Amino acid sequence: MVMEHVFGSSLSLQSGLVPRGTRAVVFDSIFEVFLLLGTLVGVVVVGYMLYNAYKYRFGSGNGTVDDERRPSLGELPSGGGGGRKLFTSFFMSMIIVISLISWTYLTLLYVEEGPSAEESLDVEVEGYQFGWRFTYPNGHTTDGVLRVPADTPIRLTLTSADVFHNFGITELRVKSDAIPGQETETWFTADEPGTYTAECYELCGAGHSYMSAEVIVMPPDEYQEWYESTNGSQSVESTNSTQSSGSANSTQSVENTDNSTQPAESTTNIRVSTVSS
Ligand SMILES: [Cu+2]
């Protein structure tokens, strides 16, 4: 049954066996399949072991071999059915393992490929000591707050202004390196509007544990309204900006997250890197 599915899906990637949807859906299906199969294998192996332990228990009379049938030294015991049991169990294990590998590979290939450029929203993410800066296609930049529409694939291009960081939103199953001088791509889709937390998952300095950002998933029409209000201008929504009226929320949250670190220093760094880039 499993083999049928795997062969079917390798013929056509759209067969429906390989899970599609948000990253959470994909990774949860991988988890469930492995949990199910692992439990199944465990039950069979432990069950068969207990069955044999009981059947051949001391004094049961089972398994006693009279001297005629007892293999002599150097002779391999033939077992029942000329090794058919061994062959069957080996063959079954092989099918299960190969199927599992193929299925997982195809599933992860889907995650790896990500959504197409046409259907997704591109956001650039830059990590710095200690915060996250997001740049939208129209040039609008926010600091500490990422606003995205629900039910839309978001493609993130990550990089870092200084040291290695790692951008992760656990609830949305996103985790990707942000490396200076390099660009890393990842994607996610959030189907539920709400507020999620993005955090840094690479120890990057004294402010690492406070290096978080708010991910606000908005209903698509609300998002569109907000996005249009940014005017496509090069306005910077951050602690050191003096303009942009619509950024009160995010400015606040940036201040919150930066309290613990050396805000003056890091703000200077931002300004310098913005100018130089
Ligand atoms: Cu970091």
Side-chain angles (χ1 to χ4, degrees):
M1 185 191 74
V2 182
M3 191 158 73
E4 208 173 278
H5 279 306
V6 168
F7 286 158
S9 60
S10 57
L11 290 173
S12 150
L13 282 169
Q14 304 299 325
S15 72
L17 172 82
V18 178
R20 293 284 183 265
T22 67
R23 291 175 81 105
V25 166
V26 172
F27 287 124
D28 287 356
S29 350
I30 294 178
F31 176 75
E32 277 156 19
V33 165
F34 271 74
L35 182 70
L36 191 82
L37 275 180
T39 309
L40 208 68
V41 169
V43 165
V44 168
V45 169
V46 174
Y48 191 61
M49 188 191 74
L50 290 177
Y51 162 76
N52 281 309
Y54 180 76
K55 187 180 174 190
Y56 296 106
R57 71 192 182 281
F58 179 72
S60 68
N62 286 324
T64 47
V65 183
D66 48 46
D67 285 341
E68 258 170 62
R69 286 186 54 217
R70 191 185 296 279
S72 57
L73 189 66
E75 177 197 345
L76 287 174
S78 58
R84 204 186 305 133
K85 253 189 205 168
L86 181 70
F87 180 76
T88 308
S89 61
F90 180 76
F91 189 67
M92 293 290 283
S93 314
M94 193 183 73
I95 288 175
I96 291 175
V97 169
I98 291 177
S99 306
L100 210 54
I101 291 172
S102 317
W103 179 79
T104 310
Y105 181 72
L106 288 172
T107 304
L108 291 179
L109 212 58
Y110 163 73
V111 175
E112 197 67 25
E113 272 169 20
S116 66
E118 303 91 63
E119 58 172 343
S120 60
L121 168 73
D122 286 353
V123 180
E124 284 167 31
V125 183
E126 189 182 40
Y128 59 88
Q129 285 169 314
F130 297 96
W132 299 101
R133 183 165 35 247
F134 306 98
T135 308
Y136 294 83
N138 66 4
H140 182 66
T141 301
T142 60
D143 223 319
V145 180
L146 171 63
R147 284 170 195 275
V148 295
D151 281 324
T152 310
I154 315 294
R155 290 202 309 175
L156 302 177
T157 306
L158 296 122
T159 191
S160 166
D162 36 50
V163 300
F164 281 25
H165 299 279
N166 186 297
F167 182 80
I169 315 167
T170 37
E171 263 181 291
L172 303 174
R173 309 290 195 279
V174 179
K175 200 166 279 173
S176 197
D177 280 330
I179 296 170
Q182 273 186 40
E183 286 190 339
T184 319
E185 278 191 7
T186 188
W187 69 278
F188 70 90
T189 307
D191 45 7
E192 288 289 318
T195 304
Y196 303 83
T197 308
E199 282 170 295
C200 181
Y201 285 89
E202 180 71 57
L203 188 57
C204 58
H208 165 70
S209 42
Y210 306 97
M211 186 172 162
S212 59
E214 235 181 315
V215 181
I216 302 175
V217 178
M218 306 162 88
D221 46 335
E222 262 180 55
Y223 171 81
Q224 206 51 43
E225 224 172 278
W226 169 80
Y227 188 62
E228 275 155 24
S229 79
T230 64
N231 292 326
S233 64
Q234 297 278 330
S235 62
V236 174
E237 212 176 303
S238 77
T239 34
N240 59 340
S241 73
T242 45
Q243 85 291 51
S244 80
S245 52
S247 61
N249 293 340
S250 42
T251 307
Q252 224 168 10
S253 65
V254 168
E255 275 163 8
N256 288 344
T257 50
D258 271 5
N259 269 346
S260 50
T261 65
Q262 311 91 349
E265 228 174 273
S266 60
T267 313
T268 320
N269 285 343
I270 304 162
R271 209 177 282 130
V272 169
S273 66
T274 311
V275 171
S276 63
S277 59

